[in-house]
Structure formats: structure tokens, C-alpha cells
Amino acid sequence: MKAKTSILSVLATGAMLAGVTACGGGALDGMDADEIAEKARTSMAELSSLRMEAELGTPEEGGVFDVAMSTDGDCRGSMSMEGAEVEFMVVGGTSYMRGDESFWAQQGMDGESMRELVGDRWIVAPEGQGGFAETCQLDSFLEDLNSDSDEDRDWERVDGETIDGTETVGITRTEDDGSTVTVYVADDDDAHILRMVNDSETDGGTVEFSEFDEDIDVEAPADEDTVDFAELMGA
């Protein structure tokens, strides 16, 4: 699950997000760096849902990650890592997942046998274990967004980009390892963060945010379309 670890590291540490500063244009015109930073942090912290799409790490140890999640803990998403794919969802606190043969092989199991046993059914996470629930904790992510907000992050203004038709303000900083992180903030009244880019050769990548405050279309699969993991392992 190296790709998952990389994603959580990028999203949870706050290193790429906390202390966002930049000069603004458009709706951000006239605001100083601290005001823009506070506006971006506040607008993100007030969200009830969002979608994240990420490409992180190297081809050998990285992955592609796509998840829509809300502050109530519900989510749906997918992950592709090192040639393996898995879908997941969390509904009402219950975590469901289904992976391909390569995914199960990566978990140390017989991938072909698992696919024969499970078919297209969703596996219900064992009781007391969250499965992908940790990945779907938008509240935790938003809390990390506001952590260390007073720390000087030494951001510098760079050219923004047009992302899905929205003009952005770009800011960048250099990490201790020499890699650079660039964050693009929507140059409008919402000032949402739309894209983050880390150019590290080992654990860098790109994360994009969209679908702010939109309803997440997710519902638990029917009982006949699920299988309990504990029962499966005891079969």
C-alpha cells in the first residue's frame, strides 16, 4: 500500500498547504500575502465535501488516486498502484472494497483464487478495522490544512495557471531536500486550492481538488453483492 502512504503523507502533513502565501490578482487583488493565506485556509476548512485526484510517486512505487469525500465520512474512490487496481467506498462508517488479481497478489494472497471466490462482490472491512475509512477522513485533512498556520513557509509568487476555466494565483517554495512545491489557488472569492505539484523524484507528484461542496453519490451495495472478509478468510 505504498501509494496510499504517499498520498496520506502529501495530504496530511500540511507541509504543502499550511501557510499558503502569495500576492493576488483578480478577486485577490489588493490583499497582502497573509490575507490571501488566511482566505485560502478558511475557504478550504469550511468545505463539506471535495474530490481529490492525484498522481504520486514513481512508476515503480507510485500510484493514481481518485476519491470524492465528505465531512460525514462517506466517500467513493479508486486507486491504481504498480499495476494493481482497487475500488473502495465508505458508507455510514462501513468500509467496502474490491480489487483485481494484482491487488490481492500485492497483499500476499493468491490473486486468481481471491477473484474466483469474490467475483464482482464488495468485501466488507473486518469489524473494528476501518479499511479505507482513514483515507476518507475529510475532517482530519481540513484540520491539518489549518495546522501550523503561523509558521513562515517562505512562499514566492509565480505565474498562475488556468485550471478547468478558473484563473489561479501560483506560489512556490523549496523543500529541505531541494525539491519544489507549487500551489495554485483559485483567483476568485472562494480562493480554493485547485492544484499542488511537488517535483521530488522519489515521492513527488500532482494533486488536484474539485467538486467543492457537491453531493457525493454513494450508497452501500446490496447484501448479495457483498462478502464479509472474516468469513471469506475462514472459508
Side-chain angles (χ1 to χ4, degrees):
M1 303 294 283
K2 296 176 182 177
K4 178 182 177 184
T5 301
S6 297
I7 292 164
L8 294 177
S9 175
V10 170
L11 299 180
T13 61
M16 296 176 70
L17 292 174
V20 171
T21 59
C23 296
L28 303 182
D29 191 28
M31 298 177 64
D32 63 27
D34 289 337
E35 291 172 331
I36 294 172
E38 186 62 26
K39 186 175 181 64
R41 286 193 297 268
T42 299
S43 66
M44 294 293 285
E46 292 176 347
L47 291 171
S48 62
S49 65
L50 57 73
R51 179 182 181 184
M52 294 187 296
E53 298 172 90
E55 294 185 15
L56 301 172
T58 65
E60 294 76 19
E61 298 186 353
V64 177
F65 182 83
D66 185 352
V67 60
M69 60 183 177
S70 66
T71 52
D72 63 12
D74 287 353
C75 79
R76 56 176 171 77
S78 63
M79 183 186 300
S80 175
M81 50 191 174
E82 302 173 35
E85 297 185 1
V86 60
E87 299 174 79
F88 58 90
M89 68 173 80
V90 177
V91 185
T94 301
S95 182
Y96 305 86
M97 59 173 287
R98 58 183 179 187
D100 62 8
E101 292 183 16
S102 296
F103 173 79
W104 292 116
Q106 285 184 1
Q107 312 312 306
M109 303 178 187
D110 186 321
E112 184 176 354
S113 295
M114 283 296 293
R115 284 296 291 171
E116 289 178 355
L117 283 171
V118 177
D120 290 328
R121 292 180 295 175
W122 293 86
I123 291 180
V124 183
E127 185 175 354
Q129 299 184 28
F132 280 86
E134 180 184 355
T135 307
C136 297
Q137 293 299 315
L138 180 57
D139 275 336
S140 296
F141 166 68
L142 295 178
E143 288 175 6
D144 288 326
L145 180 65
N146 278 309
S147 66
D148 301 325
S149 60
D150 294 329
E151 185 176 344
D152 182 7
R153 296 290 181 176
D154 296 324
W155 293 95
E156 296 181 2
R157 173 73 181 271
V158 295
D159 291 339
E161 296 184 358
T162 302
I163 300 175
D164 292 332
T166 300
E167 297 297 324
T168 68
V169 171
I171 55 100
T172 191
R173 72 180 293 262
T174 301
E175 302 292 282
D176 293 337
D177 63 1
S179 64
T180 60
V181 172
T182 305
V183 178
Y184 297 93
V185 181
D187 192 7
D188 56 27
D189 290 336
D190 289 330
H192 291 143
I193 296 170
L194 301 187
R195 178 180 295 162
M196 301 186 299
V197 181
N198 185 326
D199 69 0
S200 169
E201 294 182 356
T202 56
D203 56 4
T206 300
V207 181
E208 296 197 346
F209 300 95
S210 62
E211 300 181 14
F212 304 107
D213 285 333
E214 294 186 12
D215 291 336
I216 295 178
D217 182 17
V218 57
E219 60 181 66
D223 290 343
E224 60 267 25
D225 294 328
T226 67
V227 56
D228 184 88
F229 186 78
E231 293 180 4
L232 184 67
M233 291 298 95

